Amino acid sequence: MAKQLNLLSTGQVITTALHTEMQRSYLEYAMSVIVGRALPDVRDGLKPVHRRILYAMHELGLTPDRPYRKCARVVGDVLGKYHPHGDQAVYDALVRLVQDFSSRYPLLGGHGNFGSVDNDPPAAMRYTETRLAPIGHEGMLTEIGEETVEFIGNFDNSQQEPTVLPAQLPFLLLNGCSGIAVGMATNIPPHNLGEIVDGLIALIDNPDLTDEKLFDIIPGPDFPTGGEIVGNSGIREAYTAGKGGILLRGVATLEEIPATRGSKRRTAIIITELPYQVNKAGWIEKVADLVNQGRLHGISDLRDESDREGMRVVIELKRDTNPQEVLQHLYHQTALQTTFGAILLAIVDGQPRQLSLRQMLQEFLSFREHTLNRRYSYELSKAENRINLVAGLRKALSNLDEVIAILRQAADGSTAKMNLCSRLDLSEVQADAILAMPLRRLTSLEQQNLQQEFDQLNEQITSLRKLLDDRRELLKVLKKDLRSLKRKYSDSRRTKLIFTSEIAVKADKDISQQLTTDEENPKSKIQNPKSEQPAEPAILEFTQRGYVRRLSSTGKKPKAENGLHEHDFIIQTESTDTEKDLLILNTGGKVYPVKVGEIPATTGRSSRGTPLITMLTSTAQGNLEGVVSRFVLPETPDTTQIVLLTKQGRIKRLSMEEFTNLGRRGITILKLKDDDELSFTQFTTTGQHLILASSGGRLLRFIVNDEQLPVMGRAAMGLQAFRLVKNQQMVGCVTVSKDDHLFLVTEEGYAKRMPASNLRAANRGDLGIQMLKFHNKTDNLAGMVRATPGVEVALVTNRERVVRISIDTVPILDRDAKGESILQLNRDEKIITLVGVGL
């Protein structure tokens, strides 16, 4: 029998109080969970498991241009090398990095079933495949091999892993994060990449930027599933104090649909977007339970018509039911309205801290500046080492005979190396490089290449030292990188912002009283439906940068330019009322309606308005390549037509009756080829004259009638309006009357006015007449507008410079004139468009 070990007799037992040991052990465990598991790092926005997944995939070479690999292989590498925890925990974290409804900008690409908004589970890891997404690869890992971050040993010191990834974007804000640690939690909402980059650049340019201006640039979160944010008080509280409740609603619209039973039509509530992280199938089941329990009245049918194109849940209402009342009950009794509890908590310098939005942005900028300094220091060291070797090779080639003599006389390599160092004043590294130099380096071409490489290295070293010594130059590079990433990966906002919290709160209080009655008496029904609000007159102002301002026609109108961004200005004004629809037409040939009454009223004289794109549903925002025109449907749509002209010269005339009774998803009014887009629109009537302009300076005039331009349906692609020369495109489209003048301006800043009557009428499809000659062969016509006396035209350049020109100052010239210079442009600067101010 083995002898029992007597620990007490060794004298190694340390007596300690139980509560002291429990306190110490629990604190160590708590800090381990906080720092090493549950909370993200403020620098790259990742928890350790996500960081290890991305780094393991980088080591496996799973770049966006390589084939997908099985998720089981990735999970196995992560477990074996860096993360000794459960395989299912790692796979769950990987799945979330793939899901586009969980991450605003997914860092991984996936192939296979990775779950859905109905809370369907993903397929097993042996079936699904993954690789790095372009934004995950470029934004996280491209600089990791340049000594930008520190590496530490893994759990058994057999591998090295990064302590943080060299993120080039603040992914903590872009994708958000949620996690529960010991005694604390984080819940950071996702944001729009374009807005975050603009906010970073604004803070670089002006570190003392006020919170008001910062919140104008970053107005609120942008969730991957869309939805609507009601009120901005919670956003401001979260952005300033690091904690706040954000009221989030799904998107609901009303439609007239055929009834399930019978031939009559019924009103239905259509749900196209749900709040972030709301399970669609669970929400539908909750609504059905409320109806069956008698707690939700007025619903006759409920069905899910969602497909690959988007979400669509139909709630069919009973006859004589007030849809607004039902909608308010849905907001209060289901997750159609929910509060996102934002907690901006992250690891900063190894400790958990609750941060404001400004502090998060500043922490990222500090980290990015630090990584750039490390990267350029690494590149400078490499360049200096290389130029040292190149200098030694050049010195050897300059003393070639002596080098050969040394090598002939040397007994061995060590002797040769020692003689080279002493006789040619070379370092040991340079001598080794000379001894390893192949004979082909002795040719004249190789000597020239060495000289060229030496010069290039000198330039590189000078540039790198300038970046490291001058912080302003480093910040310029930082801003350039941010703008480049914004151009590649930015997209339109998905979540609509409705900053009318006072109205929403009042409506909530009214319906809460009704809900109390319903709970006391489940069989009670909604009585006395609210009367509809009467239409109110309104004035809409649209700006060049895409904002809309709704002004009351009865109140005092603010000055046109008050509250607008620098270089922004009013380009269009519409008088209407709050019951009308504003129609937005995009370059893809689709039109979307927005109720005028839903546009937030301008409060104060300094308001710049609301971004027009935020008024659309997330589906519309995703398809909104660019706004071509925005207008209110005329009172008599049957007598008015609209002319649509594409960049490649196809034209179509459409009756305005086609724009009535539109759904929120919009309709296609012009089919386009893949490389074409809608560029111009004009309202017209039969008998008017239309003038088109090409970038080659040719103009074409023809009359609008059924022979030249027949009215077509929505499905038509249109007719060829202009015979374009190769590499040219359409740059203008205007309707003119007898005494009108035209204003033409070229890319290089030459302009002229000319009477429209100088252009004789021709036929649609002709080549057009050369009405402007250019000073240089490289110049092109930038645009054409109708020259209304007393009106200003804004010229916009490719450098985002805006210059206003009074049309009256431009001379009237004949058709053969080249035009006069009206704008001094910088090098590589050209005019890309012109807009009439206030037209």
Side-chain angles (χ1 to χ4, degrees), residues 152-213:
I152 59 172
N154 66 343
F155 57 89
D156 61 358
N157 281 324
S158 62
Q159 302 276 341
Q160 292 286 304
E161 63 173 316
T163 58
V164 65
L165 294 183
Q168 299 183 45
L169 288 168
F171 285 98
L172 185 59
L173 286 169
L174 297 182
N175 281 331
C177 185
S178 61
I180 301 174
V182 179
M184 59 185 67
T186 184
N187 199 24
I188 302 170
H191 291 77
N192 184 270
L193 190 150
E195 294 173 355
I196 292 295
V197 169
D198 290 342
L200 289 170
I201 293 174
L203 281 177
I204 293 172
D205 293 336
N206 181 14
D208 298 324
L209 188 73
T210 64
D211 283 345
E212 291 297 326
K213 292 184 178 179

Side-chain angles (χ1 to χ4, degrees), residues 334-541:
T334 73
L336 187 60
Q337 174 178 296
T338 183
T339 299
F340 184 92
I343 306 173
L344 309 187
L345 186 72
I347 300 296
V348 182
D349 297 329
Q351 296 182 348
R353 279 182 54 195
Q354 187 168 301
L355 306 168
S356 65
L357 175 66
R358 176 189 295 274
Q359 289 171 331
M360 279 193 164
L361 296 173
Q362 288 172 337
E363 289 289 343
F364 170 76
L365 288 175
S366 299
F367 168 66
R368 185 66 186 137
E369 188 176 348
H370 177 68
T371 55
L372 283 177
N373 272 307
R374 291 189 57 148
R375 171 188 165 187
Y376 293 137
S377 297
Y378 171 73
E379 291 179 358
L380 179 61
S381 176
K382 281 182 62 178
E384 288 176 340
N385 292 336
R386 179 59 187 168
I387 202 172
N388 182 43
L389 294 180
V390 172
L393 294 176
R394 291 177 67 238
K395 194 169 188 179
L397 292 175
S398 300
N399 301 275
L400 187 57
D401 293 337
E402 187 175 356
V403 170
I404 294 172
I406 292 172
L407 294 176
R408 281 178 175 173
Q409 297 167 7
D412 52 27
S414 300
T415 305
K417 176 180 176 181
M418 184 174 60
N419 290 337
L420 284 173
C421 292
S422 60
R423 292 171 61 176
L424 295 181
D425 192 21
L426 298 173
S427 66
E428 291 187 6
V429 176
Q430 289 174 325
D432 286 335
I434 293 169
L435 291 173
M437 180 176 64
L439 289 176
R440 69 169 181 270
R441 283 292 179 96
L442 302 178
T443 63
S444 298
L445 181 60
E446 287 294 332
Q447 293 182 34
Q448 292 177 7
N449 290 341
L450 279 176
Q451 180 61 44
Q452 185 178 359
E453 183 182 1
F454 186 81
D455 295 338
Q456 290 175 350
L457 287 169
N458 267 323
E459 291 179 8
Q460 182 184 1
I461 289 171
T462 303
S463 175
L464 290 171
R465 283 177 175 164
K466 183 178 180 182
L467 289 172
L468 291 169
D469 295 338
D470 190 345
R471 184 170 180 265
R472 289 176 299 179
E473 293 297 323
L474 187 72
L475 292 178
K476 286 181 182 178
V477 173
L478 201 163
K479 290 194 294 183
K480 182 180 178 182
D481 291 344
L482 288 172
R483 291 192 180 101
S484 175
L485 291 167
K486 177 184 174 182
R487 284 193 298 270
K488 288 182 183 179
Y489 302 113
S490 178
D491 58 2
S492 304
R493 166 173 279 277
R494 298 181 188 177
T495 302
K496 184 177 174 182
L497 301 173
I498 304 176
F499 291 164
T500 53
S501 55
E502 295 81 4
I503 298 174
V505 170
K506 183 179 183 300
D508 290 349
K509 289 181 178 178
D510 292 341
I511 199 65
S512 294
Q513 296 174 0
Q514 181 65 46
L515 286 171
T516 304
T517 305
D518 289 346
E519 291 176 359
E520 294 172 355
N521 182 13
K523 295 184 178 181
S524 65
K525 296 186 178 180
I526 300 173
Q527 302 290 337
N528 301 324
K530 296 178 183 179
S531 59
E532 296 184 358
Q533 294 293 329
E536 297 178 359
I539 297 173
L540 299 181
E541 293 182 338

Side-chain angles (χ1 to χ4, degrees), residues 3 38 78 175 223 275-276 317 471 500 557 627 652 834:
K3 186 178 180 180
V78 173
N175 281 331
F223 296 98
Y276 184 50
L317 304 181
R471 184 170 180 265
T500 53
K557 182 180 176 181
V627 175
K652 174 178 174 180
L834 61 155

Side-chain angles (χ1 to χ4, degrees), residues 474-699:
L474 187 72
L475 292 178
K476 286 181 182 178
V477 173
L478 201 163
K479 290 194 294 183
K480 182 180 178 182
D481 291 344
L482 288 172
R483 291 192 180 101
S484 175
L485 291 167
K486 177 184 174 182
R487 284 193 298 270
K488 288 182 183 179
Y489 302 113
S490 178
D491 58 2
S492 304
R493 166 173 279 277
R494 298 181 188 177
T495 302
K496 184 177 174 182
L497 301 173
I498 304 176
F499 291 164
T500 53
S501 55
E502 295 81 4
I503 298 174
V505 170
K506 183 179 183 300
D508 290 349
K509 289 181 178 178
D510 292 341
I511 199 65
S512 294
Q513 296 174 0
Q514 181 65 46
L515 286 171
T516 304
T517 305
D518 289 346
E519 291 176 359
E520 294 172 355
N521 182 13
K523 295 184 178 181
S524 65
K525 296 186 178 180
I526 300 173
Q527 302 290 337
N528 301 324
K530 296 178 183 179
S531 59
E532 296 184 358
Q533 294 293 329
E536 297 178 359
I539 297 173
L540 299 181
E541 293 182 338
F542 304 94
T543 76
Q544 191 265 342
R545 288 181 176 264
Y547 287 85
V548 58
R549 306 202 296 183
R550 177 163 72 90
L551 312 172
S552 171
S553 62
T554 57
K556 185 176 181 180
K557 182 180 176 181
K559 293 182 179 179
E561 309 302 332
N562 274 2
L564 299 184
H565 277 305
E566 185 181 4
H567 302 313
D568 203 5
F569 49 89
I570 305 297
I571 60 172
Q572 182 183 345
T573 302
E574 293 274 356
S575 295
T576 180
D577 62 63
T578 53
E579 283 300 305
K580 293 285 182 64
D581 279 341
L582 171 68
L583 304 182
I584 302 172
L585 189 57
N586 72 359
T587 55
K590 292 197 72 172
V591 63
Y592 300 95
V594 172
K595 185 72 70 176
V596 173
E598 293 179 0
I599 300 174
T602 299
T603 56
R605 299 185 179 183
S606 61
S607 174
R608 66 176 184 177
T610 304
L612 191 58
I613 191 172
T614 63
M615 301 304 301
L616 304 179
T617 63
S618 63
T619 304
Q621 292 176 21
N623 295 328
L624 202 67
E625 298 91 341
V627 175
V628 177
S629 65
R630 71 298 292 158
F631 53 88
V632 177
L633 198 67
E635 294 289 342
T636 55
D638 55 333
T639 61
T640 307
Q641 299 100 40
I642 187 171
V643 172
L644 312 175
L645 178 67
T646 74
K647 183 173 66 174
Q648 294 185 357
R650 297 197 71 84
I651 196 168
K652 174 178 174 180
R653 184 160 64 121
L654 198 65
S655 172
M656 294 303 295
E657 288 184 301
E658 301 282 359
F659 294 86
T660 56
N661 300 322
L662 300 183
R664 289 292 294 271
R665 291 188 175 186
I667 59 170
T668 299
I669 59 167
L670 177 64
K671 288 190 175 181
L672 297 165
K673 296 181 180 179
D674 292 339
D675 53 350
D676 201 5
E677 64 181 35
L678 181 60
S679 296
F680 302 98
T681 65
Q682 279 288 322
F683 290 108
T684 185
T685 55
T686 303
Q688 280 191 310
H689 280 248
L690 195 67
I691 295 182
L692 314 180
S694 75
S695 56
R698 289 183 172 272
L699 274 62

Side-chain angles (χ1 to χ4, degrees), residues 11 51 67 83 105 247 268 279 286 322 338 344 435 618 653 761 804:
R51 188 178 301 116
H83 199 73
Y105 300 94
L247 189 63
N279 176 0
K286 173 68 174 177
N322 187 337
T338 183
L344 309 187
L435 291 173
S618 63
R653 184 160 64 121
R804 297 191 183 193

